[in-house]
């Protein structure tokens, strides 16, 4: 992150460096006495799939809602697609697609009607409307059920329709808030495929999740957020390396303990010294998450 | 794993081309702040037709298509009860309430029309916005559309106005069946239009204000029901207790009813009442707009 902001500051018109598509600068959001977001800063580059990973109540939804104009930050600046969000809401809204955490389709309308309504709201030209909607329904595999009321849709179908709806106006930036929450494994895979397809078409994606494997396998970069603060940021590989690529796991009286090492030999040596059962394995993102959130909890407790 | 993680390195221009967009990308003087930003274009064309509030009406019409007969039946019921019970039932006795020798039935008809405009207009938008905001959460989808708050307010106010007008027209048809001698005029229809817009705006304001089901019953009990009975619709304002006679002018339904009544009997609008209703409409609309803007 350090590096990219330095680059960007120095950069002028060079095509090589990816452009910043989203940025938060020291953003805070308070709800009365609750601080939902406490000083978050990060950037998302064009063409990236960026994941915000964090437990429930960490402030992920609030962060997304501030970026997509629905919630105003208490302090701090946000930029999306080159516009400062404050004061350019309409310009920002034109350029973003939003898949919310909670299904907010019109239940009384059919799937197709929901998409038409969205196209009308976004002023998609009449000539393109029908074709785009037909393509999107195919894309998310809902063509055969398009003329049924959304009321009758399963959770997975509704989520796919939400994704299709977010794409009707061809936004260059897509927000997905917990896109696979509560879905069965097959549907979840399908949604992952969709997200990757969209990203391959050049879309910048910001998604939130509390599923670690989702962040690990889908996202180019991950920001770990807890208690409203960004506690780590990097590619999944970088995050794992920051702890040590290898993990020795063993059970003692305090519970499962994990030690991290940068080389396999160090890890093996350490494991051999232990006189209990040990497992040597590669560090995964869950280890990073647990370590960091645990460390943060200890620091908070110490204060 | 590692290969998948490569950041997609499409050139900034590529997306823009694919989307048929005119605005461009890439640091050529469009950088707010110190960084290298991309200002990516949305849809280049900004059409003036259809207007931004049209989708809200479009959606409303979908509901009409599937529920028209239900609306018709619902909007017929309470006016019919008012007309039959107050007008033809107690009408003769209520004659003595009338100041200045007007026939009670002539008094009642514009009152029932006003009530129809009011009840269906306010309630339909209020309930729709309430459910969209707090139950289905679909109101967020409208707030995420690149449509100004003014257009959103106008769209919803118009749906309320249209529902009100439907209910008002149903009452007129009923009245014609019961008393075919009634004569209507242009000014009366214009008054109906103005009043329905005013009530649509009131519905939007309440719909945006409500926080829970409890709020909704509070609004019903403390605002809508008293307004229904006290605004000179069924009983002349002059026959209310004196302190109420002044209080009822806090309700936009009072001048609206009087406007409808004066246009129906004289075929001409009382300018003072028309201005009052128009003023209410504007004030309620702006309050709703302000509320939405602050959300
Ligand atoms: N509208 C709101 N009013 C009050 N508190 C809120 C509101 N929205 C979120 N919060 C609080 O902010 C914190 C972060 O919530 P949220 O952003 O939804 O977390 P996440 O999406 O990561 O689960 C939580 O403690 C939540 O209770
Ligand atoms: Mg959330």
């Amino acid at each position: 992150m350090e590096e990219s902001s330095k680059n960007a500051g120095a950069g002028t018109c060079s095509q090589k460096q990816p452009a910043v598509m989203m940025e938060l600068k020291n953003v805070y959001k308070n709800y009365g006495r609750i601080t939902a977001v406490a000083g978050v800063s990060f950037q998302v580059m064009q063409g990236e799939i960026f994941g915000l990973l964090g437990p429930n109540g960490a402030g992920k939804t609030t962060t997304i809602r501030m970026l997509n104009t629905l919630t105003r930050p208490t302090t701090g600046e946000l930029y999306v697609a080159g516009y400062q969000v404050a004061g350019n809401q309409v310009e920002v809204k034109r350029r973003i697609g939003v898949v919310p955490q909670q299904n907010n389709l019109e239940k009384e309308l059919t799937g197709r009607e929901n998409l038409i309504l969205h196209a009308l709201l976004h002023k998609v030209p009449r000539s393109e409307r029908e074709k785009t909607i037909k393509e999107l329904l195919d894309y998310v595999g809902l063509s055969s059920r398009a003329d049924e009321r959304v009321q009758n849709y399963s959770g997975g179908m509704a989520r796919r329709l939400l994704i299709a709806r977010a794409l009707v106006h061809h936004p260059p930036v897509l927000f997905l808030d917990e896109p696979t929450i509560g879905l069965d494994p097959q549907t979840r895979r399908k949604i992952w495929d969709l997200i990757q397809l969209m990203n391959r078409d050049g879309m910048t994606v910001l998604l939130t999740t509390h599923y670690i494997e989702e962040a690990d396998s889908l996202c180019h970069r991950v920001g770990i957020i807890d208690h409203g603060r960004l506690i780590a940021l990097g590619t999944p590989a970088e995050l794992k390396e920051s702890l040590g690529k290898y993990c020795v796991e063993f059970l003692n009286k305090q519970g499962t303990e994990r030690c991290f090492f940068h080389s396999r030999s160090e890890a093996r040596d350490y494991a051999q010294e232990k006189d209990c059962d040990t497992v040597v394995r590669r560090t995964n993102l869950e280890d990073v998450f647990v370590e960091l959130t645990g460390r943060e909890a200890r620091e908070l407790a110490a204060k | 794993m590692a290969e998948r993680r490569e950041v997609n390195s499409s050139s900034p221009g590529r997306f823009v081309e694919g989307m048929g967009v005119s605005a461009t990308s890439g640091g050529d003087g469009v950088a707010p702040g110190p960084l290298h930003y991309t200002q990516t274009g949305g849809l280049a064309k900004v059409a003036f037709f259809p207007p931004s509030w049209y989708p809200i009406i479009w959606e409303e019409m979908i509901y009409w298509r599937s529920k028209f007969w239900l609306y018709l039946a619902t909007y017929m019921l309470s006016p019919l009860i008012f007309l039959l019970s107050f007008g033809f039932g107690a009408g003769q006795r209520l004659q003595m309430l009338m100041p200045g020798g007007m026939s009670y039935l002539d008094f009642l008809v514009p009152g029932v029309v006003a009530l129809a405009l009011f009840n269906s207009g306010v309630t339909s938008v209020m309930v729709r916005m309430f459910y969209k905001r707090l139950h289905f959460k679909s109101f967020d989808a409208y707030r995420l559309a690149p449509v100004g708050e003014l257009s959103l307010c106008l769209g919803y106010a118009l749906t309320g106005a249209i529902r009100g007008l439907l209910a008002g027209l149903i009452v007129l048809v009923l009245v014609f069946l019961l008393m075919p001698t009634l004569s209507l005029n242009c000014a009366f229809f214009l008054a109906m239009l103005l009043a329905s817009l005013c009530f649509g705006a009131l519905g939007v304001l309440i719909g945006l204000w409500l926080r829970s089901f409890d709020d909704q019953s509070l609004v019903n009990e403390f605002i809508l029901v008293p307004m229904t009975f006290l605004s000179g619709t069924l009983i002349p304002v002059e026959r209310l207790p004196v302190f109420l006679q002044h209080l009822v002018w806090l309700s936009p339904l009072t001048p609206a009813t009087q406007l409808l009544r004066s246009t129906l009997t004289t075929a001409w609008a009382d300018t003072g009442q028309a201005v009052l209703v128009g003023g209410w409409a504007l004030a309620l609309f702006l309050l709703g707009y302000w509320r939405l803007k602050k959300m």
Side-chain angles (χ1 to χ4, degrees):
Chain A
M1 184 180 155
E2 284 283 79
E3 206 177 85
S4 64
S5 73
K6 253 182 245 152
N7 276 347
T12 46
C13 296
S14 127
Q15 287 284 309
K16 269 169 272 164
Q17 96 206 7
V20 178
M21 270 309 235
M22 281 175 242
E23 179 170 20
L24 291 90
K25 286 185 184 168
N26 206 22
V27 171
Y28 282 81
K29 176 70 190 183
N30 302 327
Y31 288 109
R33 286 186 13 249
I34 300 169
T35 301
V37 174
V40 167
S41 307
F42 64 87
Q43 298 174 340
V44 179
M45 300 298 159
Q46 183 168 36
E48 219 176 6
I49 302 181
F50 186 94
L52 271 180
L53 176 65
N56 285 323
K60 304 181 297 294
T61 299
T62 309
T63 305
I64 275 208
R65 285 177 66 93
M66 286 190 290
L67 281 166
N68 70 25
T69 74
L70 285 177
T71 300
R72 259 190 289 268
T74 310
T75 60
E77 289 168 29
L78 299 108
Y79 297 88
V80 173
Y83 290 91
Q84 179 158 16
V85 175
N88 295 303
Q89 275 97 340
V90 171
E91 292 304 322
V92 170
K93 286 174 192 173
R94 272 204 191 120
R95 289 163 178 79
I96 60 173
V98 179
V99 179
Q101 186 171 354
Q102 197 185 3
N103 172 355
N104 68 1
L105 298 160
E106 294 293 346
K107 313 275 185 301
E108 301 236 344
L109 302 187
T110 65
R112 193 187 306 278
E113 285 165 349
N114 265 286
L115 298 189
I116 298 175
L117 177 63
H118 187 87
L120 289 172
L121 279 167
H122 282 262
K123 302 207 168 184
V124 175
R126 199 192 191 107
S127 50
E128 292 168 28
R129 199 187 300 155
E130 218 166 298
K131 189 169 143 273
T132 305
I133 290 175
K134 199 167 161 290
E135 280 171 5
L136 281 173
L137 285 167
D138 279 340
Y139 191 58
V140 299
L142 281 176
S143 293
S144 60
R145 309 283 300 269
D147 294 307
E148 262 178 65
R149 286 198 186 179
V150 170
Q151 240 158 10
N152 306 336
Y153 280 19
S154 69
M157 289 166 68
R159 199 67 52 88
R160 279 181 283 151
L161 188 65
L162 282 167
I163 292 179
R165 186 183 68 175
L167 300 178
V168 166
H169 56 294
H170 301 302
V173 178
L174 187 70
F175 295 101
L176 301 115
D177 197 357
E178 312 255 3
T180 62
I181 195 170
L183 300 181
D184 57 71
Q186 283 93 337
T187 317
R188 187 195 288 193
R189 293 278 151 94
K190 242 181 251 165
I191 303 248
W192 287 0
D193 287 348
L194 276 178
I195 294 172
Q196 269 165 338
L197 273 174
M198 293 181 297
N199 177 249
R200 220 169 50 197
D201 291 340
M203 202 173 284
T204 308
V205 178
L206 176 77
L207 61 86
T208 75
T209 182
H210 65 266
Y211 296 124
I212 288 152
E213 73 281 15
E214 184 161 294
D216 200 352
S217 64
L218 198 60
C219 299
H220 302 128
R221 281 196 308 145
V222 175
I224 298 182
I225 186 169
D226 195 23
H227 298 293
R229 294 191 296 140
L230 198 67
I231 56 179
L233 183 84
T235 66
E238 281 168 3
L239 291 174
K240 290 173 206 167
E241 262 163 51
S242 70
L243 274 188
K245 261 193 243 175
Y246 299 92
C247 172
V248 179
E249 202 172 43
F250 52 91
L251 195 67
N252 66 13
K253 285 185 211 96
Q254 281 92 48
T256 308
E257 206 160 298
R258 296 178 192 87
C259 293
F260 300 95
F261 299 92
H262 286 285
S263 73
R264 187 194 290 264
S265 56
E266 280 176 279
R268 207 184 302 125
D269 292 348
Y270 181 79
Q272 267 158 8
E273 283 168 23
K274 284 276 158 193
D275 53 356
C276 55
D277 275 354
T278 55
V279 178
V280 180
R281 57 173 173 79
R282 279 175 174 276
T283 304
N284 58 38
L285 205 53
E286 183 161 341
D287 297 323
V288 180
F289 185 77
V290 171
E291 271 303 297
L292 289 176
T293 51
R295 196 181 295 165
E296 199 208 23
R298 283 193 297 277
E299 277 166 16
L300 281 179
K303 272 183 195 170
Chain B
M1 285 282 238
E3 312 83 71
R4 247 191 291 167
R5 207 146 286 134
E6 240 173 79
V7 173
N8 182 315
S9 58
S10 64
S11 73
R14 188 182 134 202
F15 193 82
V16 170
E17 279 163 35
M19 294 313 167
V21 180
S22 65
T24 56
S25 56
D28 34 18
V30 287
L35 289 160
H36 173 85
Y37 280 97
T38 322
Q39 244 175 18
T40 339
L43 295 161
K45 275 182 256 171
V46 177
F48 289 97
F49 192 85
S52 300
W53 45 260
Y54 168 72
I56 298 170
I57 309 288
W58 178 85
E59 191 201 341
E60 174 80 356
M61 289 306 128
I62 299 244
Y63 297 132
W64 279 51
R65 210 175 53 201
S66 57
K67 299 225 172 92
F68 182 75
W69 296 107
L70 180 70
Y71 293 163
L72 211 62
T74 325
Y75 294 159
M76 209 178 294
L77 196 62
S78 71
L80 199 59
I81 291 172
F82 283 135
L83 283 174
L84 290 179
S85 62
F86 277 79
F88 295 91
Q92 296 301 318
R93 299 283 166 76
L94 291 172
Q95 189 65 50
M96 64 190 214
L97 283 177
M98 298 309 301
M102 192 187 196
S103 115
Y104 181 70
L105 217 51
D106 287 344
F107 171 87
L108 185 67
V109 166
V112 175
V113 172
L115 271 183
L117 295 177
F118 178 74
N119 280 333
S120 354
V122 174
T123 315
S124 65
V125 208
M126 178 181 98
V127 170
R128 184 164 160 201
M129 293 191 98
F130 175 81
Y131 275 95
K132 271 184 200 280
R133 276 181 50 231
L134 300 168
H135 186 70
F136 295 126
K137 309 278 181 199
S138 57
F139 196 62
D140 276 352
Y142 295 85
R143 291 182 59 213
L144 277 170
V147 169
E149 286 91 353
L150 211 58
S151 298
L152 277 188
C153 277
L154 191 60
Y156 281 105
L158 286 175
T159 62
I162 297 174
R163 286 275 193 113
L165 285 174
L166 173 72
L169 291 176
I170 291 171
V171 173
L172 288 180
V173 170
L174 283 177
V175 169
F176 259 115
L177 294 178
L178 296 171
M179 39 191 292
T181 54
L182 188 80
S183 75
L184 297 172
N185 59 70
C186 239
F188 182 71
F189 283 110
L190 287 178
M192 275 177 74
L193 195 65
L194 186 62
S196 64
L197 286 171
C198 178
F199 301 146
L202 177 61
V204 171
L205 180 62
I206 302 177
L208 287 172
W209 232 203
L210 295 175
R211 290 159 310 175
S212 63
F213 277 102
D214 294 334
D215 278 3
Q216 206 191 340
S217 36
L218 280 179
V219 164
N220 263 326
E221 297 305 317
F222 285 91
I223 301 180
L224 299 186
V225 170
M227 277 172 80
T228 301
F229 287 98
L230 299 178
S231 303
T233 46
L234 306 172
I235 297 164
V237 173
E238 293 87 337
R239 292 289 176 262
L240 294 173
V242 178
F243 77 99
L244 274 180
Q245 288 188 20
H246 299 290
L247 219 56
V248 293
W249 285 96
L250 290 178
S251 142
L253 183 53
T254 310
T257 309
Q258 304 234 332
L259 181 66
L260 287 172
R261 197 164 285 139
S262 66
T263 47
L264 190 62
T265 46
T266 64
W268 192 247
D270 179 322
T271 328
Q273 287 159 352
V275 167
L276 212 50
V277 179
W280 267 111
L282 197 64
L284 292 167
F285 184 77
L286 290 178
L287 271 174
Y289 168 65
W290 173 73
R291 173 79 190 134
L292 185 60
K293 192 109 185 154
K294 266 192 50 183
M295 260 180 167

